Amino acid sequence: MLDHFSVMVRDLATSAAFYDAVLAPLGGRRLMEPGPIGYGVDRPDFWLVPAAPEAGAPLEAHIAFTAPDRAAVRAFHDAALAAGAEVLHAPRVWPEYHPTYYGAFVRDPDGNNVEAVCHRPE
């Protein structure tokens, strides 16, 4: 059900050193960097994202749910709109992630970034 998960961190270097140490015994390692750091075994599915520098800024989480197809991503988006969610990004292809990454992003009632993603082609 979960595709990937991101947490915002105030000190990227300190948090990366921590996760380098604690994920290694579990088979996890850094797979993508610089900027956000992606950890995983075969692909990045846990991300550390630098927090905004403003003091006291809330730290949002990013949760991405796996969708079986692009129609399900669109249905997720429509359901989020009907539930009153703020739309961050309407459904579309995100080629900067990979050529068939199709996702939609919304904010949940607590301000977290929630995504539905399909990795399959149309």
Side-chain angles (χ1 to χ4, degrees):
M1 186 167 166
L2 288 178
D3 186 79
H4 60 275
F5 183 77
S6 300
V7 294
M8 296 183 81
V9 297
R10 296 192 196 286
D11 184 331
L12 187 60
T14 299
S15 292
F18 172 81
Y19 284 105
D20 287 346
V22 301
L23 295 178
L26 306 175
R29 61 188 174 89
R30 288 190 202 194
L31 296 174
M32 293 186 76
E33 63 181 315
I37 298 174
Y39 288 89
V41 174
D42 300 317
R43 66 178 182 83
D45 51 20
F46 174 67
W47 293 86
L48 300 180
V49 179
E54 301 88 39
L59 300 181
E60 73 179 42
H62 172 68
I63 306 154
F65 294 101
T66 302
D69 53 37
R70 293 180 180 197
V73 172
R74 291 186 292 273
F76 161 87
H77 176 261
D78 293 345
L81 281 174
E86 173 190 352
V87 174
L88 298 173
H89 302 287
R92 71 173 178 90
V93 173
W94 296 83
E96 58 269 38
Y97 300 144
H98 66 70
T100 61
Y101 193 110
Y102 187 82
F105 301 76
V106 300
R107 287 220 186 276
D108 75 6
D110 292 302
N112 294 302
N113 179 340
V114 181
E115 173 188 3
V117 59
C118 175
H119 296 282
R120 298 184 203 188
E122 185 74 58

